[in-house]
């Protein structure tokens, strides 16, 4: 079979567009409505997508005045969705800066057991003073400190997931011996940030380790992804930028001693689609007209780290905001936004409109066929191994993609018609990791 | 309606008896088998029980060599059970010593939303150096330190649950205003152990606060329960001991300014039941015969904090182990065990047999009618507001209780035939807590 696309559904209550909740058909209370999420999960599974994904942070977003900002804790919500589906993978974001490895490794192991091997962890280090102040800190730990902590966190988590051999349990009713203690391993991990002595209190997960996902685009983030990530979420506005990132990350993976094909790169796409271009444009316009400029200005000023007063709605960005090399621009959301504004000579109002849909992700407005063309183009030209599908409004944005774009991709032989495996790793074509404590018995005296 | 019993099902994979997994009908891998837990939850709901409960600790139990010791993280497992049931409450144990308030308060709020108001939190401070060593510590924080931390943890959690007014969201599509920021409150909590600045990122839970449960029997534990707990799990071997504890805790609740009826006291009972006494005794003997003495000795030595060598299987406890006042004996599991051994002049082997079923909880062997009699006796004589039902073997131990004892209790007018409410607080007859930030608007100029 030819190389296959990977498609992930990035879910967000009433949609990724900040004004989607204002559409007549939207339920503005969808964020805590379990039935809404179950509906989304079933649509994605109907489309045979690899996985569902939930972003997260331990802080109330600033924009709560203007858009839904509540969200159930992702491992809880995905557990619900596990019971409502049978195959689709379930990827939850969780912070290495504001969790303890023993607790979090156990929670992902539990989700993996509960879902029959469908758990994934999007590893984030959680930027921002607001989150830090919810955990007894005055400000966030600095960037490199957060990434060193993340490395230790993942190292010790892998030891915890491996702490039971796959065959640790004999459960011998005749003798009363439940486990061979030699098959349970204490990590006895001692790092700079974490010390974890004992084994996990859950058997090894069905997948060995949950799928590890990463989305940082800084230098530290890309190095981290190259070493640890099975899949990478990323944001690019142009094919060229995406190609640059793709080549960079794959070469970092090689430098880290890994097979570049084992790091799956998934740029985000916000598809606003219809049967005709004109209809799609009208949809996009409808959403753009619902943006509250006051909120957009505040968000834009925060992303650019400039005073809000210097931004004029009907003028271009002031020259005082530094431009940047667009090839390396993927390093931060700020550079990407400035590059987009300069390249297309957008007014601040237009820029806010463009960002309202995907916060810097690639918004594609067009027909179903055109969306399939773009996906194929990026996929076949070294820019993507698949896509992170970000419905502007939900459920409609996901439903249209599944009902109209997926069949085209299937027709072209680019995407599965049925799930071949049962686990999330299988959907991404990745092997089950070996246990680092596994004893080499073959060839040993008495083994056999 | 007369005062009603409260019944909680304390679940544990193949059962509370340490040897239950060795019974021919037991699935020794039940601990991570979601279908097993769903079956248990549905049996308990069929019996109209108030709630399900899962014990927990962030550490692998020492006994893993001899009995199942893995368990899915309780909030994950109970989320699964929420989807498989409609009414029964869901109580998860979680540690205040090894979690962060923002994360844990959010997880319980999420479970409460996901279950339609059925979440409960059994608050534990987690004793033991083994757990501490999984979280970067050499040893556990001392007892009073753990309880001070727990108090702060609960105080800040209640602020977080209250941080959104119940009517915080207007979601006004016309204006684009989603929330009135005046109706979201930042805790700005500054304690000795915790500082939490911002509001939770989940709307106020359906129950306001999840049901708060506590099970500590030390002086600190009882004072904590008297101030914060809606329900208390406890362990007693005799009616007199249970009465002493009951009177003590209710008076502490009064001293803390609370209505004593708002603190529900639930002793544990391990019912080993059959249609005749002889059949029940045979069941108990079958389980006792399956105990591995090596494991029992190790456990007993650990509970008593004595060297294992001084315990002789066919002799009574050595006199060197101090006796204790049985009325105050409920303060610790150790005193309770010594009192039981002395009172009934048990050999170490017999003591291990008695403890194997419930680790110090009251094991009742007899007919269904006799079990109902004991429950009624404790309930009507100031010893209990209900019981924590601990099936020795599961699912059979719970199924027998639900099918044979519950109907007797219903017949006697002591227990509900149908759920009257939908939330866990309603099942326990407890009100929804007011929001501590709620504004008094009545009578204010312009209010109305």
């Amino acid at each position: 079979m030819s190389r296959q696309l990977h498609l992930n559904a990035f879910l967000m209550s009433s949609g990724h567009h900040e004004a989607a909740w204002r559409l007549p058909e939207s339920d503005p209370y969808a964020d805590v409505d379990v039935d809404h999420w179950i509906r989304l999960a079933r649509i994605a599974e109907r489309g045979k997508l690899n996985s569902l994904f939930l972003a997260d942070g331990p802080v109330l977003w600033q924009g709560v005045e203007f858009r839904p900002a509540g969200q159930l804790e992702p491992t809880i919500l995905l557990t619900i969705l596990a019971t409502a589906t049978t195959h689709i993978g379930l990827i939850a974001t969780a912070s290495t800066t504001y969790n303890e490895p023993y607790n979090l490794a156990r929670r992902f192991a539990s989700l993996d057991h509960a879902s029959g091997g469908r758990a994934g962890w999007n590893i984030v280090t959680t930027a921002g003073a607001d989150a830090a102040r919810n955990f007894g800190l005055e400000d966030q730990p600095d960037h490199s400190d957060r990434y060193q902590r993340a490395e230790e966190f993942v190292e010790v988590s892998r030891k915890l997931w491996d702490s039971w051999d796959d065959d640790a349990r004999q459960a011998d009713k005749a003798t009363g011996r439940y486990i061979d203690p030699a098959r349970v391993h204490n990590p006895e991990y001692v790092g700079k940030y974490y010390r974890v002595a004992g084994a996990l209190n859950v058997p090894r997960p069905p997948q060995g380790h949950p799928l590890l996902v990463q989305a940082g685009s800084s230098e530290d983030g890309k190095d981290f992804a190259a070493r640890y990530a099975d899949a990478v979420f990323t944001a690019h506005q142009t094919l060229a930028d995406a190609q640059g990132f793709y080549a960079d990350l794959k070469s970092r993976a090689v430098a880290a001693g890994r097979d570049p094909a084992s790091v799956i790169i998934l740029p985000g796409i916000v598809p606003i689609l219809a049967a005709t271009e004109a209809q799609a444009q009208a949809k996009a316009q409808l959403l753009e007209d619902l943006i509250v400029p006051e909120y957009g200005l505040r968000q834009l000023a925060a992303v650019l780290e400039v005073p809000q007063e210097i931004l004029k709605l009907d003028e271009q960005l002031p020259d005082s905001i530094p431009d940047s090399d667009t090839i390396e621009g993927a390093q931060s959301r700020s550079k990407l936004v400035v590059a987009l504004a300069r390249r297309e000579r957008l007014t601040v109002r237009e820029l806010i409109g463009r960002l309202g849909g995907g916060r810097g992700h690639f918004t594609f407005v067009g027909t179903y066929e055109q969306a399939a063309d773009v996906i194929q183009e990026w996929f076949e030209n070294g820019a993507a191994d698949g896509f992170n599908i970000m419905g502007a409004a939900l459920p409609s944005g996901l439903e249209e993609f599944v009902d109209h774009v997926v069949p085209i991709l299937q027709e072209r032989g680019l995407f599965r018609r049925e799930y071949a495996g049962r686990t999330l790793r299988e959907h991404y074509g990745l092997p089950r990791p070996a246990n680092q404590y596994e004893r080499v018995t073959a060839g040993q005296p008495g083994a056999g």
Side-chain angles (χ1 to χ4, degrees), chain A residues 226-394:
Chain A
R227 264 181 294 167
Y228 296 106
D230 299 306
V232 175
F233 295 149
T234 181
H236 305 287
Q237 290 284 340
T238 67
L239 177 65
D241 278 358
Q243 287 169 324
F245 178 88
Y246 187 96
D248 181 13
L249 196 65
K250 297 277 182 174
S251 72
R252 287 180 200 235
V254 171
R258 296 177 64 195
D259 174 2
S262 71
V263 185
I264 312 255
I265 298 178
L266 305 167
I269 183 169
V270 183
I272 300 183
L273 308 179
T276 70
E277 278 187 54
Q279 288 167 341
Q281 289 294 350
K283 265 191 191 177
Q285 193 60 50
L286 178 63
L287 281 165
E288 199 168 320
D289 291 345
L290 291 173
I291 290 176
V292 178
E294 178 190 353
Y295 174 53
L297 271 178
R298 190 201 291 180
Q299 293 286 97
L300 183 59
V303 166
L304 299 177
E305 296 178 346
V306 300
Q308 193 174 318
E309 302 75 55
I310 73 167
L311 303 175
K312 307 294 175 200
L313 275 174
D314 295 307
E315 298 176 15
Q316 294 187 26
L317 289 183
D319 294 335
S320 60
I321 297 175
D323 205 341
S324 64
D325 178 335
T326 55
I327 294 298
E328 294 202 77
Q331 284 169 26
S332 82
R333 199 59 56 91
S334 166
K335 288 184 184 176
L336 182 153
V337 167
V338 175
L340 168 66
R342 299 261 196 268
R343 190 172 57 244
E344 305 196 16
R345 310 181 65 82
L346 302 174
T347 64
V348 166
R349 189 187 302 276
E350 290 166 335
L351 182 58
I352 287 171
R354 290 288 290 275
L355 296 177
R359 304 176 310 283
H361 282 273
F362 175 43
T363 299
F364 181 81
V365 183
T367 67
Y368 310 126
E369 199 79 23
Q370 288 168 337
D373 291 346
V374 166
I375 285 170
Q376 182 166 4
E377 182 188 16
W378 287 41
F379 179 62
E380 293 181 344
N381 289 281
D385 297 313
F387 283 84
N388 201 9
I389 309 302
M390 302 167 61
L394 292 170

Side-chain angles (χ1 to χ4, degrees), chain A residues 3 409 431 435:
Chain A
R3 178 170 161 256
L409 298 171
N435 187 324

Side-chain angles (χ1 to χ4, degrees), chain A residues 43-66:
Chain A
I43 292 167
E45 187 163 78
R46 189 173 87 213
K48 315 298 176 194
L49 269 54
N50 293 44
S51 43
L52 306 172
F53 162 60
L54 298 173
D56 199 54
V59 65
L60 181 62
W61 295 349
Q62 291 296 326
V64 69
E65 201 175 333
F66 297 106

